[in-house]
Amino acid sequence: MREIAIGIDLGGTSIKFAFLTREGEIIKQWAIPTPVDSDGRLIIPFIIRSIKENIEESTLLPAQIVAIGMGSPGSVNREKGTVIGAFNLNWIKTVYVKEQMEEAFQIPFILDNDANVAALGEQWLGAGQNDPNVVFLTLGTGVGGGVIVKGELVHGFLDTAGEIGHLKVENEGFTCTCGQVGCLETVASATGIVAVAKKEARGYMDSSVLAKTILDGRVITSKSIFESAKLKDPFAEHVLSIVGRYLGVACANIANVLNPSTIILGGGVSKAGNLLLSYVVPNFERNAFPTIAKRTAIKIATLENDAGVLGAASLAFESADKT
Ligand code: ZN
C-alpha cells in the first residue's frame, strides 16, 4: 500500500490541493476558490469538506494517508499550527488551523508559511533537483524567500528566517511595507520594478516609447518593461540593469553567507526567464565571493503553481516520519 500525503497551498484567491506519493508522483490535484467572506471563517471547513469529498471519490483508503501539510500566507506559528495577520484571507486574529484539521482527520498536520513551502517544492521536485542546499526567491507582488540547508527549511529564532525580500540593497530608497527603507522588495518585486521605472523615466523621454508612457501618467507593468527590453528599448534595458544589479547583489550576499548550490528565482517576475537571468547572473558573479561566483547556479523555478502543494506534501511526509 503506497503512502500518500496531502499538500495544501492556501492563497487569497484559490486553495490548491494534491495527493502525493513519497516519490513525488501526483495522484490527484484540484483547486477551489477561497471563501474569504465572513472573516475567512469558512476557509478551514471548506478545506476539510473538499478533502473528504476527494478522498471518497478516489480509490485511496483512509489508512494510506499519513499526514497533511499546508502553506499559508500571514504569520505562521508552526508549533501551535496557527496563523495570524493573513490579510488576503481576512484572517486578522489568530486562526487555529492545526487544531481543526487534526480533529477532522486524526493524522498529523503541519503548517508553514507559503514562501517556505514553495521553496521546499522547488528544492525537491523543481529547479533544485533535490540538492540539499538551496535558496528560493519568489518575485511576485512582494519578494519572499525560503532557505533550505541540509535538506531542511531554516526557520531561525522567531520563525522568520528567509525574509529575503527585506535584504537591504539601498541606503536611501523607497519605503517598504515593513517600514524600513531600501529593501529588495521595493525594487525587485513586480511593483518594485515599476517603481524603479517611474524614478528613471525622465531621462528617456525622447528615446523610449515606454518612458513616454510613464511620463504621460499611464499605467505600466513589470511585464511591459521586460517586453520592451526584449525589443531593445534603451529605457527598459536601463531599468532592468538597475533591477539586475539589486538582485545580483542580494543573491551574492545570500551565497556568501549560506553557500547554496542553487539559488532559484520564482514568482511572476521569473516568467521573464533567461532575459531576467541575463541581468542577474553577471551582477551575481561580479559581487559574490570569488570561489563561489562561478560555481553557484542561479536558475528559474520550474514548477510554477505546483510548488506550493508539492512542498506542503513533502513537509507532511517529513512530519509523519517524525511522529
Ligand atoms: Zn522591508
Side-chain angles (χ1 to χ4, degrees), residues 196-270:
V196 172
K198 281 182 177 163
K199 186 171 171 241
E200 299 291 324
R202 200 162 298 277
Y204 290 83
M205 177 79 175
D206 301 322
S207 56
S208 161
V209 178
L210 187 70
K212 197 169 179 314
T213 308
I214 293 174
L215 293 165
D216 287 346
R218 279 180 283 158
V219 177
I220 63 147
T221 62
S222 60
K223 196 176 165 204
S224 60
I225 297 169
F226 281 103
E227 273 164 8
S228 299
K230 226 180 269 174
L231 302 170
K232 305 270 177 226
D233 179 290
F235 167 64
E237 288 180 323
H238 170 68
V239 170
L240 291 184
S241 71
I242 295 172
V243 172
R245 181 161 51 78
Y246 288 132
L247 274 169
V249 168
C251 289
N253 289 342
I254 292 165
N256 289 354
V257 176
L258 295 165
N259 189 206
S261 63
T262 311
I263 298 176
I264 305 171
L265 306 179
V269 173
S270 76

Side-chain angles (χ1 to χ4, degrees), residues 10 18 39 72 94 119 133 165 173-174 178 185 187 201 209-210 229 263 289-290 296 319:
L10 174 56
D39 296 331
S72 170
T94 303
N133 299 295
F174 304 120
C178 73
E185 177 166 301
V187 290
V209 178
L210 187 70
I263 298 176
F289 190 59
T296 313
S319 86

